[in-house]
Amino acid sequence: MTASLSFLIRCALPVLLLASLPAHAQVGGLDALTVQEAAEGTTYSISLQVLALMTILTLLPAALLMMTAFTRIIVVLGILRNAIGTAQTPSNQVLLGLAFFLTLFVMWPVFEQVYNDAVQPYMAEELPPEEALTTAVGPFREFMAAQTRQEDLAMFMRIADVDPVESIDEVPLSVLVPAFMTSELKTAFQIGFILFLPFLIIDLVVSSTLMSMGMLMLSPMIISLPFKIMLFVLVDGWSLVMGTLAASFMT
């Protein structure tokens, strides 16, 4: 067991060292993995640089929710499922997959700009870590600013007691991100309300028809569900919803 662990660590050693080279060249940090030979055997130690990197990776889901199009898309898809009346169809995994790949489609120009302007120069040791991070945040800042309502941004700037700024680049991320999230939730609920209306009309018509026929013991959901699914399929609902969601981010 010890021999297998030692073999795996020795195989991973070149990868970890290569990953630490850019930061090592810029900030003079420790190696990602150090190996020490002692009388008791070989010992391995991981630097704080790798620990910080792993900590940052745990924040990626939060960044996906707060700084991308994911929030608006998943909220609209959840409201749509409730409007149709299918409790677990599509399943949560399907909705998350749709939201993830539609987010990737919408955010691809931003990711590409970040890679070209920040990641590649950093890996080529042309930018220090601090400047690379600032450059990488720029495209996300522009995306969030384009989708944020002025009143939401002004509200959070007032709460944070931030002085008026001349450009969006001067707005702190601690103010821009919550303002963006608030605007995204507002937009998502507005789109969801519009999606809910035709299905609500079908429920009202079916319920009124059943009451007029005296069928009070029959649940209207049993009758209205097939009609709502049929309406959604006939108008090519999924294409309309996905296309509208993607187009709503194009400014």
Side-chain angles (χ1 to χ4, degrees):
M1 183 69 178
T2 304
S4 301
L5 179 60
S6 177
F7 175 75
L8 290 175
I9 295 177
R10 289 180 185 274
C11 291
L13 177 61
V15 178
L16 293 176
L17 290 178
L18 287 175
S20 68
L21 281 179
H24 176 74
Q26 296 294 338
V27 299
L30 298 174
D31 291 335
L33 183 65
T34 58
V35 182
Q36 296 179 351
E37 298 290 343
E40 296 81 6
T42 304
T43 59
Y44 304 92
S45 62
I46 299 178
S47 70
L48 293 178
Q49 176 184 330
V50 177
L51 181 61
L53 177 62
M54 298 304 296
T55 303
I56 293 174
L57 289 178
T58 61
L59 300 177
L60 284 179
L64 176 66
L65 291 174
M66 294 188 299
M67 301 175 65
T68 65
F70 185 84
T71 300
R72 183 189 304 185
I73 296 171
I74 192 63
V75 170
V76 170
L77 292 179
I79 293 176
L80 174 63
R81 183 174 65 179
N82 291 332
I84 296 176
T86 53
Q88 295 296 328
T89 305
S91 63
N92 292 331
Q93 290 82 358
V94 173
L95 292 185
L96 287 173
L98 286 173
F100 175 77
F101 282 102
L102 188 57
T103 301
L104 188 63
F105 172 78
V106 172
M107 300 295 299
W108 187 258
V110 177
F111 294 152
E112 190 173 20
Q113 184 178 355
V114 170
Y115 180 77
N116 293 332
D117 297 344
V119 177
Q120 277 190 337
Y122 173 73
M123 298 300 294
E125 302 184 15
E126 298 175 358
L127 286 178
E130 295 82 3
E131 186 176 348
L133 180 60
T134 304
T135 305
V137 172
F140 286 98
R141 182 187 294 273
E142 293 177 2
F143 172 80
M144 290 188 292
Q147 306 299 326
T148 303
R149 290 178 169 84
Q150 294 297 324
E151 57 269 21
D152 294 329
L153 184 60
M155 178 188 67
F156 281 98
M157 290 183 66
R158 184 176 65 255
I159 294 174
D161 196 17
V162 176
D163 296 331
V165 297
E166 297 181 357
S167 66
I168 194 66
D169 295 334
E170 301 177 11
V171 178
L173 281 179
S174 59
V175 174
L176 181 59
V177 172
F180 169 74
M181 287 290 295
T182 304
S183 297
E184 286 294 280
L185 289 175
K186 286 183 179 180
T187 304
F189 274 84
Q190 289 175 355
I191 298 175
F193 172 76
I194 296 173
L195 289 175
F196 219 107
L197 284 180
F199 301 108
L200 179 61
I201 293 174
I202 293 177
D203 286 333
L204 291 175
V205 170
V206 171
S207 179
S208 300
T209 303
L210 291 178
M211 290 184 63
S212 63
M213 298 175 63
M215 298 181 179
L216 301 179
M217 301 301 295
L218 182 62
S219 174
M221 289 294 299
I222 300 177
I223 306 300
S224 63
L225 180 58
F227 286 100
K228 290 190 288 186
I229 294 177
M230 181 182 64
L231 172 65
F232 194 68
V233 171
L234 289 178
V235 300
D236 198 10
W238 285 114
S239 296
L240 290 175
V241 171
M242 303 297 279
T244 303
L245 281 174
S248 66
F249 293 96
M250 307 304 173
T251 56

